[in-house]
Amino acid sequence: MGYPADLRLKGRRKNVANFFSKLMNENLRCRFMPAAVFIFSLATSGLAQTSKVPPIVIYSPHGTEILKMVADKYEKKYPGEKVDWRFYGAEDIVARIEAEKSSPVADVWWGGPQFMFIGAKNAGLLAELPKSLASNFEKDPGKHTDFWIGDMQAPITIFFQKDMLSKLPRPSDWDSLLDKKYAGKITLRTSNTSGTMRALIVAAVDWNLRRGKTLEQSMDWLKQLDAQVGGYYSHSQLMLQAVGKGILPIGVWNMPEVAMRMRQGFSLDFVYPSSGVPVLIDGMALVKKPVPHPSAQKFAEFLLSKDVAITLSRSPFHRLHLHKDLPLKEQPSYTRHVNFKVMDVDWERIAKEGPAWLKIWDEIFDSKKVKR
């Protein structure tokens, strides 16, 4: 006859208890103690495995090369911990974090222009940061707040294929992109997932407004730019390749990635626009969660460390890091002896009004020009 499961379990528990009682008998203790310790260690090992800390989930647009490097360095420094990095465009990241607000997936958001972090903070998507995280960065309200920290900056430049200089004068400023001699020779990234491209669009509107144009005139400037574009690409590397091969010899993008591709052999050169360079501040934040990941803050401290700053500044990444203790010799060569005029951009206004401007841009840009 069979017995109910709970009675069988009680019987087994009693047998196990009797077994260990015998093991601890004064006469047998010395003989069987090693076996008991071994059994106990196996049991506790199994408990440790079942309570293993889950991977740290990071959303980032920084590219697979950088994300793999950071994950490998962190996992090597902290054995047993894992990083689950997910590469998305900055605009995708904002949409995902907002959609997941009731059940957040990401622990850390790393990368994207400052106006997106300002908007996310205002929407209640970010966790307040410990004061200690900003200790390695100069105090600047435009580069970090209690909810996000800017760890890198990215000047936006006009870049072009080297050989085009023998055939056309290099475009020297933003308005020169509208010159008819460049018609059909310009390429841009699609803006639906790209934080850099969306930042460029809203910065262009803000720049036009600041120099006295109306919103309608500012949007007309964008229409003229779109008319000059010969093709849009859905990935920055494809866009950079198109310029390097002379397919579309002029583009606009962030200087760190242009410099990285130049080092990889892309036939590119660049110019800082004379009327001003919009400088994007790449941010880092912890996503607001009911129960934060136990290692999220530690991972954030690692991301903002001097060691990671030096690695990102060196070849092949050439990032312009903002760590205050980063030696000048470690800064990318394209910034050491170059002075450029920084464009005055109202990122707070952009965080509020930019989404409406971007909706107009989405209606303006010619989707038939998207290459891939």
Side-chain angles (χ1 to χ4, degrees):
M1 174 185 286
Y3 293 93
D6 58 337
L7 291 181
R8 292 200 303 269
L9 185 58
K10 288 178 182 178
R12 288 173 188 169
R13 285 174 179 165
K14 184 175 180 181
N15 290 338
V16 171
N18 290 338
F19 172 71
F20 276 98
S21 176
K22 290 179 181 178
L23 282 179
M24 299 310 293
N25 183 279
E26 189 67 33
N27 295 327
L28 299 176
R29 185 182 300 161
C30 293
R31 183 176 177 182
F32 289 100
M33 180 62 77
V37 170
F38 176 70
I39 294 169
F40 179 76
S41 68
L42 285 178
T44 55
S45 173
L47 287 172
Q49 288 180 2
T50 58
S51 61
K52 188 170 67 172
V53 176
I56 304 164
V57 178
I58 172 174
Y59 287 178
S60 177
H62 278 314
T64 56
E65 302 103 318
I66 287 179
L67 294 176
K68 186 176 186 307
M69 177 277 294
V70 165
D72 289 347
K73 283 177 73 74
Y74 182 82
E75 290 171 1
K76 184 177 180 180
K77 184 172 183 178
Y78 299 104
E81 296 199 30
K82 294 294 181 183
V83 177
D84 177 6
W85 55 264
R86 303 185 188 185
F87 173 51
Y88 303 121
E91 183 67 17
D92 262 353
I93 290 173
V94 175
R96 285 175 182 274
I97 292 175
E98 191 165 16
E100 296 164 357
K101 185 176 181 179
S102 61
S103 183
V105 175
D107 300 298
V108 179
W109 169 16
W110 184 41
Q114 59 266 57
F115 78 94
M116 290 188 173
F117 283 90
I118 295 170
K121 179 261 179 185
N122 293 341
L125 302 176
L126 307 181
E128 188 168 358
L129 299 173
K131 302 293 184 187
S132 59
L133 280 179
S135 62
N136 291 324
F137 297 82
E138 299 291 347
K139 290 184 178 179
D140 186 335
K143 294 178 181 175
H144 63 75
T145 71
D146 291 339
F147 290 84
W148 65 275
I149 294 174
D151 61 333
M152 292 182 279
Q153 56 186 346
I156 301 297
T157 65
I158 299 171
F159 70 102
F160 43 84
Q161 208 271 344
K162 279 185 176 181
D163 296 336
M164 72 161 283
L165 294 179
S166 61
K167 303 171 185 177
L168 287 170
R170 68 172 66 186
S172 60
D173 203 2
W174 300 112
D175 278 339
S176 63
L177 294 175
L178 307 185
D179 195 307
K180 294 301 180 185
K181 62 176 167 282
Y182 301 125
K185 295 180 171 62
I186 297 173
T187 181
L188 297 174
R189 255 217 66 178
T190 52
S191 63
N192 57 325
T193 61
S194 170
T196 298
M197 187 60 200
R198 294 179 88 75
L200 171 64
I201 296 301
V202 294
V205 175
D206 185 78
W207 170 64
N208 276 296
L209 292 173
R210 283 173 172 271
R211 60 179 183 157
K213 291 185 179 292
T214 64
L215 181 59
E216 185 178 356
Q217 290 170 329
S218 301
M219 292 303 169
D220 185 64
W221 190 95
L222 290 177
K223 287 180 183 178
Q224 293 179 63
L225 178 63
D226 175 70
Q228 295 284 87
V229 172
Y232 291 92
Y233 286 88
S234 59
H235 194 284
S236 60
Q237 184 168 351
L238 298 175
M239 177 185 66
L240 289 156
Q241 285 175 343
V243 176
K245 293 176 181 178
I247 298 170
L248 292 164
I250 304 170
V252 180
W253 199 240
N254 69 71
M255 189 59 240
E257 190 166 355
V258 173
M260 183 170 75
R261 301 306 176 187
M262 287 169 66
R263 288 293 184 122
Q264 293 175 352
F266 286 38
S267 181
L268 303 173
D269 204 349
F270 64 93
V271 63
Y272 290 116
S274 57
S275 65
V277 175
V279 177
L280 307 187
I281 303 299
D282 256 319
M284 188 284 308
L286 300 180
V287 178
K288 189 175 183 179
K289 304 182 79 169
V291 181
H293 192 289
S295 294
Q297 183 177 331
K298 181 169 67 174
F299 183 75
E301 290 169 352
F302 169 80
L303 275 182
L304 301 175
S305 67
K306 184 178 177 180
D307 177 49
V308 171
I310 289 174
T311 302
L312 289 170
S313 298
R314 290 176 177 172
S315 182
F317 304 120
H318 305 284
R319 284 334 196 231
L320 187 55
H321 212 281
L322 293 170
H323 195 291
K324 67 181 182 182
D325 295 328
L326 187 67
L328 180 62
K329 67 178 182 179
E330 298 292 356
Q331 293 285 7
S333 58
Y334 65 85
T335 64
R336 291 180 201 163
H337 307 293
V338 177
N339 291 318
F340 57 83
K341 180 181 177 182
V342 176
M343 183 182 288
D344 191 11
V345 180
D346 188 343
W347 295 108
E348 290 285 347
R349 174 169 73 170
I350 284 174
K352 296 174 184 175
E353 301 178 28
W357 302 346
L358 288 166
K359 284 183 179 178
I360 298 174
W361 166 254
D362 289 340
E363 296 172 0
I364 288 173
F365 106 99
D366 188 351
S367 59
K368 299 186 190 71
K369 295 180 181 179
V370 177
K371 299 291 186 182
R372 65 181 87 177

